[in-house]
Amino acid sequence: DGGITQSPKYLFRKEGQNVTLSCEQNLNHDAMYWYRQDPGQGLRLIYYSQIVNDFQKGDIAEGYSVSREKKESFPLTVTSAQKNPTAFYLCASSTGTSAYYEQYFGPGTRLTVT
Amino acid sequence: KQEVTQIPAALSVPEGENLVLNCSFTDSAIYNLQWFRQDPGKGLTSLLLIQSSQREQTSGRLNASLDKSSGRSTLYIAASQPGDSATYLCAPSNPGYQKVTFGTGTKLQVIP
């Protein structure tokens, strides 16, 4: 089955620690995205990548880092510089053409930092 | 900057009722608009995507319409069922890969 997997589903960390969230897709999509969702707010874009070895900052990139070494994988690192990291993190992918794209989402990772 | 508003924020209806969810957006220069469903604690599931040149799209009991010039889209759900209970989000996309803006959603509860 084609789709997007995110792991782990729940993640708990102590303040000051870096943590990496996994995102893998087997849809052969070019573009991948990381969003953050907080209660009462719309999804906010953290980073996106259109092709391998290239990525761009979204609206709220501070305190986060990403890599795109393989087409299938787009891991997100939440660093200790992120002031309020507790949130629900969603990874998505799309075909990446400008005329038509549809976003497909993974199941999400809930990160709690105490 | 695109801004998306979804009204109402929450809606409770009895099973079997037809209902309409509203989405308005400020920048009408969109490529397309996507409607999603999100169950509690889950990711988003794509329901319908309407291209900017289209007026509506249908999938089963769902019908989405788009009035680009007025910056509005509606999602019509026919004969609602308890399994339709979820949060529904709309997301117009504007030129540029990063420019998908999500609304905060309408939380729907269908009562048996």
Side-chain angles (χ1 to χ4, degrees):
Chain A
D1 286 337
I4 301 175
T5 57
Q6 291 186 243
S7 61
K9 185 174 182 179
Y10 299 98
L11 193 52
F12 298 89
R13 280 294 182 270
K14 296 286 189 184
E15 194 173 318
Q17 294 179 334
N18 292 353
V19 60
T20 297
L21 282 60
S22 169
C23 177
E24 303 278 334
Q25 56 100 358
N26 61 4
L27 298 167
N28 199 33
H29 284 170
D30 293 311
M32 297 186 74
Y33 311 80
W34 274 106
Y35 293 93
R36 170 182 172 139
Q37 187 176 36
D38 295 282
Q41 297 193 39
L43 275 69
R44 292 182 290 170
L45 182 66
I46 304 172
Y47 268 98
Y48 68 100
S49 169
Q50 298 174 16
I51 57 172
V52 174
N53 293 322
D54 184 63
F55 47 83
Q56 306 295 330
K57 293 181 179 180
D59 298 324
I60 55 166
E62 185 175 348
Y64 300 98
S65 66
V66 294
S67 63
R68 187 87 186 275
E69 298 176 1
K70 299 187 299 182
K71 187 175 184 178
E72 303 79 17
S73 180
F74 191 40
L76 173 74
T77 296
V78 184
T79 74
S80 57
Q82 168 50 232
K83 295 177 182 175
N84 186 18
T86 295
F88 189 51
Y89 290 88
L90 288 159
C91 178
S93 70
S94 69
T95 55
T97 61
S98 59
Y100 168 88
Y101 69 70
E102 184 172 359
Q103 294 214 341
Y104 297 82
F105 281 80
T109 292
R110 185 166 299 280
L111 173 64
T112 302
V113 176
T114 57
Chain B
K1 177 186 174 186
Q2 179 73 280
E3 294 182 2
V4 181
T5 303
Q6 291 189 247
I7 295 173
L11 182 62
S12 183
V13 300
E15 181 177 2
E17 192 163 300
N18 301 327
L19 57 100
V20 174
L21 307 181
N22 296 295
C23 171
S24 61
F25 47 94
T26 55
D27 184 351
S28 61
I30 64 171
Y31 276 138
N32 54 42
L33 184 144
Q34 200 166 355
W35 280 93
F36 293 92
R37 168 189 173 132
Q38 186 176 30
D39 293 289
K42 307 286 187 183
L44 277 64
T45 300
S46 178
L47 298 173
L48 289 163
L49 182 144
I50 312 178
Q51 298 293 347
S52 60
S53 59
Q54 296 177 312
R55 297 284 296 181
E56 63 179 56
Q57 276 280 9
T58 298
S59 176
R61 294 183 294 108
L62 304 179
N63 176 277
S65 67
L66 175 64
D67 184 345
K68 201 175 102 166
S69 60
S70 67
R72 290 193 287 187
S73 178
T74 62
L75 180 66
Y76 175 84
I77 303 177
S80 58
Q81 302 172 358
D84 295 330
S85 298
T87 297
Y88 292 81
L89 299 99
C90 73
S93 67
N94 290 82
Y97 286 96
Q98 73 279 25
K99 293 188 187 287
V100 178
T101 307
F102 288 82
T104 53
T106 293
K107 186 174 182 179
L108 172 65
Q109 181 183 28
V110 181
I111 303 168

